[in-house]
Amino acid sequence: MEQFLVSNQAWLFIVLALWTIPWKGWALWKSARQNDKWWFIALLVINTVGLLEILYIFVLGKKKAVEIQK
């Protein structure tokens, strides 16, 4: 029984890693491109299994439109 639990924990870790790494990479790339230094640090340090990263990508990281005056 113990071997079964250890085996399932390894698969859970692998699945979570495969889910988190692409989201974290995309969010870090987006925050770096927008010069959001504090968001970059927060996204790098805080691990929320992709939730904070998804929130940043689609909601918080929207580039503000700059109005050009003539």
Side-chain angles (χ1 to χ4, degrees), residues 14-36:
I14 292 169
V15 169
L16 286 176
L18 290 174
W19 167 259
T20 303
I21 291 171
W23 288 113
K24 188 169 286 293
W26 187 10
L28 288 171
W29 176 80
K30 187 171 183 175
S31 66
R33 297 272 305 192
Q34 294 181 3
N35 292 326
D36 286 338

